[in-house]
Amino acid sequence: MPDDHLSHVAVTLAGARPAHPLSGTVRIPGDKSCSHRALMLGSLAVGRTEIDGLLEGEDVLATAAALRALGAGVERLGERRWRVDGVGIGGFGAPEDLLDLGNSGTAARLLLGILATHDLTAFVTGDASLRSRPMRRVIDPLSLFGARFVTREGGRLPLAVTGARDPVPQTYRLPVPSAQVKSAVLLAGLNTPGETSVIEPQITRDHTERMLGHFGARVRVAPHPDGGKLITVVGQPELVAAPIRVPGDPSSAAFPLVAALLVPGSEVTLTGVGINPSRTGLLDCLAEMGADITRFDERVEGGEPVADLKVRAGALKGADIPPGRAPTMIDEYPILAMAAACAQGRTVMRGLAELRVKESDRLSGIAAGLAACGAKVSIEGDDLIVDGTGKPPAGGVTIESRLDHRIAMAFLVLGLATAAPVAIDDARTIASSFPDFVSLMNRLGAAFDGADHVAATG
Ligand code: S3P
């Protein structure tokens, strides 16, 4: 799972313009955020939780392995079906070995939240990407509860955490719009007497709050007088095992969705896609750009709204994307930038500072990759500006994926529209969030394959 034991195998992959339009109906794999949370909350509940639709990507498997090492019973029953035997809040034991969370920032930060109020010491690490990502954003609030951390320089992994024996509840105002930080604090609050609150000035994905309620925790969400929300969890509840159905991941759906927009004549249906309003910023942007996307059969599954989406190819125009929308589509900027590069006119994506601290520095990765493909692109401060000509850029390059699954998939999708193919140097990273990406896209008509023929390196 971590990069190291796979590093001797290079898996290059390319996408070229398909001979025919993309078409068909596909089910989108389970939501990564909800899958992590289902396993974690199931592990903290009393009793047996059955999960249907779990994403079986490497990030989620890393969470499953860590929870097992902490004492929960986590077992695969069949395709996408998992069973978790919980230990109850406060019931984890000290793991015997390092917890290796691979590429997953969500796994690392949410688990640190849980561990911060367990009376044990654990050692946490990840792959080269995760070891380079900032952990201070969770260490600072979790230290307020009484947890202690020893980290590598700069607050990076590997780190050791010793959870607080007598945790002190907190009210914490998020300094960055991050659902991971919010969730870490709320999860720390679970094993803390009294009430723990988070003030979020900008709304971020709310799967933790929803799922805590689903497991019987008392969670209050209220508007905050300064704007945004005040989220409060009442500590030391008994979480009761509850069945979970994981919705399809809108962040994964984004790739076949934009592919269908960019390949002329395409018409594709994506089923069971999560449409939680804290995740649908991309759909709003694409609608403003003129995309033909219809939602139908809207329903609620396992406490989350889902719908089927029908997408038809068509011309797109540039748009001005406000910074306030970023938390609702933070993982979708790579693929939105690909759409912008094929649109007519200027697209400005504002307020993207957080993109610099994702699995890679996505702001520079998108800009460098698009420039290598022949697009006109620039970064001004934290804004990304793409000037589209109404035609896809030339392509014909190999993009470095830098252990970043979304960069890899975004450029592969762009290659379905460019005149010359686009390749990525290492496709293995895609398995962290979308292990079926290639087969699902090829079922729609994409024909991704090995790419020895793409020469120039971007
Ligand atoms: C996630 C939150 C986001 C997102 C990540 C998943 C989550 O990160 O980028 O892929 O599951 O809470 P931030 O909350 O740090 O922005």
Side-chain angles (χ1 to χ4, degrees):
M1 207 175 314
D3 52 333
D4 317 289
H5 67 248
L6 289 172
S7 55
H8 56 286
V9 202
V11 183
T12 315
L13 199 67
R17 245 189 225 172
H20 304 286
L22 302 183
S23 69
T25 298
V26 282
R27 177 175 165 194
I28 295 303
D31 186 84
K32 186 150 71 75
S33 293
C34 294
S35 295
H36 285 299
R37 288 159 172 82
L39 291 174
M40 290 182 193
L41 294 187
S43 296
L44 292 174
V46 173
R48 177 168 282 185
T49 290
E50 298 223 341
I51 305 169
D52 189 22
L54 191 87
L55 171 67
E56 296 177 316
E58 287 180 354
D59 280 12
V60 176
L61 299 181
T63 288
L67 293 168
R68 264 189 220 114
L70 290 162
V74 182
E75 211 186 314
R76 185 175 194 261
L77 299 177
E79 209 180 320
R80 303 175 183 221
R81 285 195 311 114
W82 287 62
R83 179 165 73 201
V84 182
D85 286 304
V87 294
I89 285 175
F92 283 153
E96 281 179 18
D97 201 350
L98 277 174
L99 301 177
D100 185 342
L101 299 169
N103 192 245
S104 179
T106 308
R109 297 197 178 108
L110 271 58
L111 268 177
L112 287 176
I114 295 173
L115 295 173
T117 54
H118 270 76
D119 184 14
L120 55 76
T121 295
F123 300 86
V124 177
T125 193
D127 72 3
S129 157
L130 187 56
R131 292 194 306 269
S132 74
R133 296 180 67 184
M135 290 295 146
R136 283 250 172 271
R137 53 180 54 202
V138 289
I139 290 173
D140 289 345
L142 297 176
S143 300
L144 300 172
F145 285 84
R148 286 175 292 127
F149 295 84
V150 180
T151 73
R152 199 161 61 88
E153 212 180 7
R156 316 271 152 170
L157 300 181
L159 64 70
V161 52
T162 299
R165 184 171 303 172
D166 298 306
V168 185
Q170 301 298 319
T171 294
Y172 188 71
R173 187 184 182 89
L174 293 182
V176 281
S178 165
Q180 293 179 356
V181 178
K182 168 176 67 176
S183 301
V185 173
L186 294 175
L187 292 171
L190 276 183
N191 197 30
T192 302
E195 297 192 347
T196 288
S197 298
V198 174
I199 300 162
E200 64 169 11
Q202 263 182 288
I203 287 170
T204 68
R205 66 188 69 189
D206 63 358
H207 307 299
T208 301
E209 301 91 295
R210 284 177 189 249
M211 210 180 283
L212 277 170
H214 183 71
F215 278 93
R218 277 171 56 206
V219 182
R220 298 194 305 272
V221 182
H224 190 265
D226 299 347
K229 289 197 286 188
L230 173 72
I231 303 134
T232 301
V233 64
V234 179
Q236 300 182 320
E238 181 164 288
L239 291 188
V240 184
I244 298 272
R245 188 172 164 77
V246 177
D249 197 326
S251 300
S252 297
F255 298 104
L257 185 110
V258 170
L261 290 172
L262 298 186
V263 177
S266 298
E267 182 172 316
V268 163
T269 299
L270 310 171
T271 63
V273 183
I275 52 162
N276 179 319
S278 64
R279 299 287 298 279
T280 48
L282 177 73
L283 295 179
D284 299 336
C285 294
L286 291 173
E288 289 165 15
M289 294 169 80
D292 181 353
I293 303 170
T294 321
R295 296 183 194 193
F296 58 100
D297 199 8
E298 292 192 29
R299 58 223 187 245
V300 175
E301 282 179 6
E304 291 279 348
V306 299
D308 298 344
L309 303 179
K310 182 175 284 230
V311 196
R312 286 194 198 86
L316 299 175
K317 57 182 193 298
D320 196 318
I321 314 299
R325 199 177 286 167
T328 67
M329 54 175 295
I330 193 65
D331 294 334
E332 281 67 82
Y333 284 101
I335 192 64
L336 176 64
M338 303 304 126
C342 301
Q344 171 72 54
R346 171 167 284 201
T347 296
V348 186
M349 291 160 260
R350 300 182 189 276
L352 306 189
E354 277 294 296
L355 283 198
R356 298 184 198 274
V357 292
K358 292 295 176 189
E359 285 80 334
S360 68
D361 175 348
R362 287 184 178 157
L363 195 50
S364 70
I366 295 168
L370 277 181
C373 287
K376 195 169 166 228
V377 56
S378 60
I379 297 172
E380 281 180 19
D382 294 331
D383 301 343
L384 179 66
I385 300 159
V386 179
D387 283 301
T389 60
K391 278 205 226 116
V397 290
T398 298
I399 303 290
E400 282 179 35
S401 52
R402 295 182 195 173
L403 290 177
D404 192 322
H405 51 128
R406 298 201 200 278
I407 291 289
M409 289 185 281
F411 280 98
L412 282 172
V413 166
L414 182 66
L416 300 177
T418 51
V422 172
I424 53 162
D425 66 338
D426 189 347
R428 290 165 303 164
T429 186
I430 292 171
S432 65
S433 69
F434 201 161
D436 300 334
F437 173 75
V438 171
S439 62
L440 182 146
M441 293 296 295
N442 286 354
R443 273 208 308 283
L444 295 173
F448 288 128
D449 67 14
D452 301 335
H453 52 288
V454 178
T457 296

